[in-house]
Each structure stands twice: as C-alpha cells, then as structure tokens.
C-alpha cells in the first residue's frame, strides 16, 4: 500500500519533470528558429489550431455554461424567494462564474474536447513515425507540433471564459426576468455589483494556467504513446483524466491561496 | 542539379563548418566529406553500443560508409536495423561509442547543429511517415519552406521536378491517406530528395509492397542515387531487392556486424548465419524463438511500426 503510493508519487514526479523538459525543449526550438531569422510558427497551422480550439469550442462552452447558470439561478432563486432576498441571484451567478465556475467549466470542457483531440492526433503521428520524421527533417517536433497547440489553448481558454460567463449571466437573466420578476435594468445593476475586477482578472489568469496544463498534459501524453492503436486509446483516456483532475486540483489550490493571501473584503 | 539548390546546400555546409571552427576533426576525417574526397567515410560508426534498459541491441558495431556506396544492411526483425538508422540521424544516442556524419560527431552535437546537419540527410520510412494532415504538395514543400530560403516559385518547381523523378506528377493535391502503399513510398522518397541530401537512408523500402511495386521502388532507388550521386544506406530483409540494389552489404546479427563485403561474397558466404539468412532456410544457427520454445522469447519487436 505505502509502496504503491510511493511508486505513483515517484511516477508523477518523473512525468512532471518530463513535461517541464518538453516545455523547455519547445522554447529552445522556437529560439533556434528565431535566431535563424525565420518565423517560429507557421501562420496557417496556428490559425487552424486557434480556429478549432477557440471558434470551434464556443457552442459547447456557451451551451454548458448557459444551462448551468440557468439551473443555479433557478435553484438559488427558489430558496432565496422564501426569505425575499432573490435579488441576490444575479450577483451570485456573476461572482460564481467570473471567478470560479467559468474557468473550471471551460477547463473541463476543453480538456475533453481539445485535450483528447491533441493526444489522439499526436499519438497517431507518433505511432506512424510522423513525429520522428518531423524530427529527422530537422524541423523540431516540439516547435512544429506542440507550440501552436499550446499557444492556441493557453491563449484562448481565457477568451472562452468570458463567453462562458456571459452565457451563464444570460441564463440567470432569463430566470430573473420570468421567474423572479426582476426588471432588466435592475438585473444589470445587480450583475455589475457581482462582477469585481479582481475576480475577473483572477479568473482569466487561472484559466490561462488551466489551458497550459491541459495543453502540456495532452501533448506529452500524445508524444509518449507506445503500442500502436491501443496505446493511442489509453493515452487519450489518461490524458483527459489527468488534465481534468489536475485542473480541479490546481483550482482548489488557487482558491486556498486566494483566501489566505487576499481574503474577501 | 540546379545551380541555386547547389549553392544553397553549400551554404548549409558552411554553416556547419562554421559551427565547428577550431575544433580538431576526428581521425581519418580531415575533410568535411565533401564530394571531392572519396577516401573519407561519409558515415562512420565506431564501436557503437546501444542498450534499451537491460536489452543490448547493438553491441560494438563499427561501420564506415563511403561516398557513392549503396550499402545494404541485412538482419532479422528486431536485429537493430532501424535503430542503426536512428543513431545516424541523431534521434537515438549511443550508450557507448561514436557516430560520425561528414566528420561531425552526431552523438556529440547540440540540438541546433544537429538540425542543420539533419537537413543534409534524407530518410525514407518503412511506412512512409508522410504528415497525414498535409497534402502531397505541402509534405514536399515543408522542409524547403521551413529550412531553406527558396522562393515560392522555386519551391513549386522543385516539387514538380522531384515528383516527376518518382513518376508521381499527378497527385500533388491528394492527401496521404488516399494513396496506396507504393505511391506513399514514392512520395516519401521524393520528400527525402527535396533538399538534395548527400545521404539517403531507407528503412525497409520493399516492406508491405507487392513484388512488382517493390521492384519499381528498387529501380527508383538505384536510378535516383546514381543520377543525384548520393550515398545511400538501405535496410532490408528482402534478399532479392538487397542483391538488386546493393554495392556492398553488411549483416547485423546479435548486435554485431558478422559479415561485410560485396554482394557476391554474401551469395557464397562460408558463415552459416549468413547463408541461412540469404537462402531463407529454417534450419541453421538463427533460432526461431517460437518454434524452439526459447525460455526468454524475444519481444515481437517489428509488429507495430518497426518499434
Ligand atoms: N525506443 C525503444 N525502446 C525500447 N526498445 C526498443 C526501442 N526501439 C527499439 N527497441 C528494441 O530494439 C530492438 C531492435 O529494434 P529495431 O532496430 O526496430 O529492429 P529492426 O531491425 O527490425 O528494424 C527490438 O528488439 C526493439 O524491441
Ligand atoms: Mg525496423
């Protein structure tokens, strides 16, 4: 039992080291290309990745956040109505999504939608020796394959959080209007009270970190696939599981730190 | 071939030479391995040992490949043929020993110098390894766009030229998945040629091809390496194509080179391992682990993409 814990801790640390080396290697390869006065990334590849990570994820992120926002507003509203304090609903939803649920939901959605795709793609390329071919041509697989994906997911997760928060606020708007009878103008005032600059910035920062985690885990798992098609399947599952748990764990850590260092009010 | 490409590859050579200013050249490699000097080996392995964990794949391999040769590397599945090619490309590091290309110690180069050097070596993979998300044209354009200073028109001209060399002029806009194995192999060969390399490595060029396509690919290898005056190392276990292509042969067995010489010597070898392999007999010193119930059967190494 203790041996098993020790072994898995050791494995986790080894993998953390490898992921760090992957990041370092990518930065080095990008630097090489820059020092040869060439664009470090191909614009078209970057565009393809940002398009699928960003534009492609909008519907799912918006839908999930809208439904969760609406449900929360409905349930909280029903409770608070009893005490006549239902006007707290818009504020609560705004706080919850801008600093907590927005980054978390978006992170989980992207881990499943994009992280899995990254691992499966890179895994298939590894198995079919395409990654090795890229390396053998001297193109630098980390620069060529990992960098655009990592950049796309790290840069666009924060943007998607904004969409997520807007969708959730829209859900709470519908509930406020039709169920809690809060007038639209008053709703926007109340929501604005909930949107604090500090929370929004924290949420955006956090989500960038989540994007980096998901991208690194997914690419690392993809590039280290062994054992053919079955290996790709296993790696994809493990990539999603690892990045979702790491994202939730990191989020908890962020919240503990935030409460300890910058307590509310 | 074309003057611009030629100056271009000389530029790259200068870059490499520049990186090594002042460093003493390794023994027997005073020259950069340029076209003029035929005495210095283009590729040299010195007592290379390679282990994966406890498993020793190469156990003291020494080999020199000279400009203009078409060297055949023979060996059973899992004997370390692909591994040898990976060592030359610098994708794997030897556990002990040294690997040279054009007088540069591959195993001691930094990543950046290594990448410059890799552009001078073309590699044709067992399963082609074309980038599946790019069209044939983009696959060929990729190394030029990323590594050379050629203009777009020039790149298109080279692509047409190389595709014509492998008789595949009409598939530029196809995706790799739409092509047959033989077609992919030819595109892979064209991709290896775009930067006019000095050395081309072939990993089992006839694997998975029917006999006719396989002969066509063999002919291409012979014609192209002769036309472009490139050296090549061809890994195979198909004896027919080995004898067709090779100007020299070596055989890997149990981590060592057990025979090295012109193809004729292999036909009339006195080494029982070589004769068994060349004639494809089941009786002989090469054990079939499944038939003999070897207590430690070898891993089924080459079932998935040769790893
Ligand atoms: N990355 C690796 N990790 C562990 N073992 C490997 C690796 N690559 C190759 N091997 C082992 O090395 C041996 C030689 O492999 P390889 O060079 O691919 O053989 P082949 O001669 O069929 O091309 C095989 O037994 C294989 O299992
Ligand atoms: Mg092989």
């Amino acid at each position: 039992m203790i041996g098993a814990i020790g072994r898995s801790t050791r494995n986790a640390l080894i993998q953390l080291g490898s992921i760090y080396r992957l990041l370092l290697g990518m930065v080095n390869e990008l630097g090489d290309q820059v020092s040869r006065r060439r664009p470090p990334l191909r614009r078209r590849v970057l565009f393809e990745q940002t398009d699928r990570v960003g534009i492609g994820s909008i519907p799912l992120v918006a839908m999930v956040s809208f439904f969760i926002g609406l449900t929360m507003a409905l349930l909280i509203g029903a409770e608070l109505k009893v005490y006549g304090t239902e006007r707290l609903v818009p504020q609560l939803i705004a706080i919850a999504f801008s600093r907590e649920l927005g980054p978390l939901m978006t992170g989980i959605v992207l881990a499943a939608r994009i992280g899995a795709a990254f691992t499966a793609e890179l895994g298939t390329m590894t198995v079919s020796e395409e990654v090795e071919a890229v390396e053998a041509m001297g193109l630098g697989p980390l620069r060529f394959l990992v960098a655009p994906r990592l950049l796309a997911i790290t840069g666009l997760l924060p943007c998607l959080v904004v969409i997520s928060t807007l969708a959730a606020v829209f859900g709470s708007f519908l509930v406020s209007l039709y169920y809690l009878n809060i007038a639209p103008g008053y709703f926007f005032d109340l929501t604005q009270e909930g949107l604090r600059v500090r929370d929004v910035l924290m949420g955006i920062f956090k989500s960038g970190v989540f994007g980096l985690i998901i991208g690194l885990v997914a690419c690392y798992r993809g590039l280290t696939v062994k054992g053919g098609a079955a290996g790709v399947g296993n790696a994809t599952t493990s990539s999603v599981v690892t990045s979702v748990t790491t994202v939730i764990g990191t989020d908890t850590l962020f919240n503990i730190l935030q409460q300890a260092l910058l307590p509310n009010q | 071939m074309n003057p611009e490409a030629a100056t271009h590859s000389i530029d790259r050579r200068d870059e490499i030479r520049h990186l090594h200013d002042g460093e003493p050249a390794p023994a027997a490699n005073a020259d950069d391995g340029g076209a003029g000097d035929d005495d210095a080996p283009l590729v040299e392995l010195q007592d290379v040992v390679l282990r994966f964990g406890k498993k020793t794949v190469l156990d003291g391999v020494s080999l020199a490949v000279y400009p203009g040769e078409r060297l055949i590397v023979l060996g059973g599945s899992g004997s370390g043929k692909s591994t040898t090619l990976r060592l030359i490309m610098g994708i794997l590091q030897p556990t002990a020993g040294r690997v040279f290309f054009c007088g540069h110690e591959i195993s001691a180069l930094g990543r950046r110098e290594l990448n410059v050097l890799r552009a001078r070596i073309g590699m044709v993979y067992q399963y082609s390894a074309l980038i599946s998300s790019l069209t044939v044209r983009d696959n060929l354009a990729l190394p030029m766009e990323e590594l050379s200073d050629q203009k777009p028109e020039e790149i298109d001209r080279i692509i047409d030229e190389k595709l014509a060399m492998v008789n595949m002029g009409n598939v530029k806009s196809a995706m790799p998945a739409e092509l047959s194995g033989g077609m992919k192999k030819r595109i892979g060969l064209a991709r290896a040629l775009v930067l006019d390399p000095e050395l081309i490595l072939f990993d089992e060029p006839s694997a998975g091809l029917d006999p006719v396509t396989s002969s066509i690919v063999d002919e291409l290898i012979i014609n192209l390496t002769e036309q472009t005056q490139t050296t090549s190392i061809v890994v195979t276990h198909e004896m027919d194509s080995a004898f067709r292509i090779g100007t020299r042969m070596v055989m890997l067995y149990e981590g060592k080179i057990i025979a090295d010489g012109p193809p004729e010597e292999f036909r009339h070898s006195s080494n029982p391992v070589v004769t068994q392999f060349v004639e494809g007999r089941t009786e002989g010193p090469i054990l079939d682990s499944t038939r003999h119930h070897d207590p430690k059967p070898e891993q089924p190494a080459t079932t998935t993409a040769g790893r």
Side-chain angles (χ1 to χ4, degrees):
Chain A
M1 178 65 193
I2 290 172
I5 293 174
R7 233 171 296 125
S8 56
T9 315
R10 189 163 155 267
N11 274 342
L13 286 176
I14 288 174
Q15 294 197 354
L16 205 64
S18 310
I19 289 180
Y20 174 71
R21 270 203 303 281
L22 182 141
L23 191 62
L24 211 65
M26 184 189 84
V27 172
N28 279 332
E29 285 180 8
L30 287 169
D32 283 357
Q33 193 77 348
V34 172
S35 68
R36 276 154 58 190
R37 302 223 173 69
R38 299 183 156 278
L41 296 174
R42 315 189 101 205
R43 207 178 319 146
R44 213 185 67 211
V45 175
L46 187 60
F47 185 76
E48 272 167 22
Q49 296 300 337
T50 48
D51 182 60
R52 80 200 269 227
V53 173
I55 314 289
S57 301
I58 288 178
L60 188 61
V61 166
M63 206 165 65
V64 168
S65 307
F66 169 74
F67 287 137
I68 294 182
L70 191 140
T71 311
M72 275 180 64
L74 203 63
L75 296 183
I76 298 174
E79 290 298 318
L80 294 187
K81 236 180 169 176
V82 179
Y83 308 102
T85 52
E86 67 267 28
R87 61 181 173 75
L88 287 176
V89 166
Q91 200 178 342
L92 284 173
I93 299 292
I95 293 175
F97 269 82
S98 61
R99 85 171 243 193
E100 184 58 32
L101 290 178
L104 198 60
M105 295 307 311
T106 314
I108 292 172
V109 167
L110 284 215
R113 200 188 112 87
I114 303 296
F118 283 178
T119 305
E121 275 167 10
L122 293 182
T124 312
M125 291 184 78
T126 304
V127 169
S128 62
E129 293 184 320
E130 284 173 51
V131 175
E132 193 184 313
V134 169
E135 186 175 359
M137 285 189 278
L139 302 182
L142 300 181
R143 170 183 77 80
F144 185 70
L145 298 170
V146 174
R149 291 178 164 82
L150 207 56
L151 200 66
I153 195 163
T154 309
L156 287 170
L157 217 148
C159 305
L160 289 166
V161 167
V162 173
I163 300 214
S164 155
T165 307
L166 290 177
V169 166
F170 180 60
S172 96
F173 172 72
L174 293 183
V175 171
S176 305
L177 191 64
Y178 295 112
Y179 177 57
L180 305 174
N181 300 317
I182 298 174
Y186 189 38
F187 172 83
F188 286 112
D189 287 345
L190 292 171
T191 298
Q192 242 169 34
E193 263 171 55
L195 288 173
R196 295 190 216 114
V197 174
R198 204 185 73 184
D199 288 349
V200 173
L201 289 183
M202 190 65 188
I204 295 214
F205 173 70
K206 234 171 26 173
S207 55
V209 174
F210 294 170
L212 193 65
I213 291 173
I214 297 167
L216 280 174
V217 168
C219 293
Y220 172 74
R221 285 274 193 254
L223 293 177
T224 52
V225 161
K226 289 204 174 62
V232 176
N234 292 338
T236 307
T237 310
S238 118
S239 155
V240 174
V241 171
T242 313
S243 52
V244 167
T245 41
T246 314
V247 160
I248 296 177
T250 313
D251 186 54
T252 313
L253 207 65
F254 264 116
N255 281 320
I256 293 173
L257 283 178
Q258 198 183 348
Q259 286 308 332
L261 302 177
L262 317 154
N264 268 341
Q265 266 88 48
Chain B
M1 299 234 69
N2 61 80
E4 279 190 64
T7 35
H8 174 73
S9 70
I10 287 167
D11 284 350
R12 274 203 309 267
R13 226 160 284 173
D14 284 347
E15 197 173 348
I16 280 281
R17 202 180 274 141
H18 181 71
L19 291 166
H20 279 251
D21 263 357
E23 211 172 281
N29 275 320
D31 185 87
D32 194 23
D37 188 356
D38 281 0
D39 296 339
L42 191 64
V43 176
E44 192 172 5
L45 276 68
Q46 292 179 350
D47 302 314
V48 169
V49 177
L50 187 92
R51 296 195 188 92
F52 291 114
K54 287 203 186 81
K55 178 173 185 166
T56 304
V57 178
L58 299 180
D59 187 13
V61 169
S62 293
L63 175 68
V65 186
Y66 294 89
E69 279 188 317
R70 280 194 302 274
L71 178 75
I72 302 285
V73 179
L74 294 172
S77 296
S79 60
K81 304 184 298 295
S82 304
T83 302
T84 307
L85 297 185
R86 288 194 182 105
L87 282 167
I88 297 171
M89 298 263 17
I91 285 170
L92 290 174
Q93 292 288 323
T95 315
R98 313 204 286 172
V99 181
F100 296 96
F101 171 70
C102 282
H104 300 289
E105 188 178 351
I106 289 272
S107 36
L109 287 181
R111 188 197 51 253
R112 192 170 161 205
E113 294 96 323
L114 186 59
N115 278 344
V116 177
L117 213 59
R118 278 168 173 166
R120 292 163 62 185
I121 309 178
M123 170 108 188
V124 181
Y125 285 86
Q126 198 166 353
Y127 301 101
S128 306
L130 300 171
I131 311 295
S132 48
S133 57
L134 300 177
T135 62
V136 167
R137 188 222 162 257
D138 290 347
N139 261 290
L140 265 63
L142 186 66
M144 290 187 278
E145 287 172 358
E146 293 285 322
L147 300 171
S148 77
D149 295 312
Q150 278 131 332
K151 298 190 177 52
E153 316 84 70
E154 182 69 3
I155 289 178
D156 279 315
R157 198 189 58 69
I158 295 176
I159 290 173
D160 287 337
E161 176 195 312
K162 303 298 177 193
L163 282 176
M165 281 172 119
V166 297
N167 306 321
M168 293 288 293
N170 49 356
V171 293
K172 271 202 286 183
S173 55
M175 298 303 279
E178 300 165 35
L179 305 175
S180 70
M183 290 161 111
K184 276 198 266 194
K185 194 136 285 179
R186 282 190 269 172
I187 303 296
L189 178 51
R191 176 178 70 177
L193 291 171
V194 290
L195 290 177
D196 294 322
E198 291 144 69
L199 171 71
I200 309 184
L201 309 176
F202 294 89
D203 197 350
E204 309 210 1
S206 29
L209 300 183
D210 63 78
V212 176
T213 316
S214 161
S215 310
I216 294 175
V217 170
D218 291 347
E219 291 290 316
L220 267 176
I221 294 174
I222 298 170
N223 292 339
L224 292 179
T225 48
E226 273 174 5
Q227 266 176 47
T228 55
Q229 308 236 315
T230 37
T231 312
S232 55
I233 301 179
V234 183
V235 153
T236 186
H237 49 214
E238 305 261 332
M239 292 318 300
D240 288 347
S241 70
F243 281 116
R244 230 177 351 239
I245 301 171
T247 60
R248 181 181 150 205
M249 292 184 170
V250 298
M251 176 154 180
L252 268 179
Y253 180 66
E254 291 184 337
K256 293 198 161 59
I257 290 183
I258 55 158
D260 181 345
E264 281 318 300
E265 269 178 33
F266 273 72
R267 267 195 232 273
H268 313 109
S269 174
S270 56
N271 186 327
V273 178
V274 177
T275 14
Q276 188 194 350
F277 194 85
V278 169
E279 292 168 13
R281 280 185 285 112
T282 50
E283 300 302 319
I286 304 175
L287 292 181
D288 177 349
S289 53
T290 48
R291 229 159 35 91
H292 288 259
H293 298 287
D294 202 347
K296 279 197 300 179
E298 224 185 292
Q299 280 176 355
T302 43
T303 46
T304 57
R307 294 194 190 212

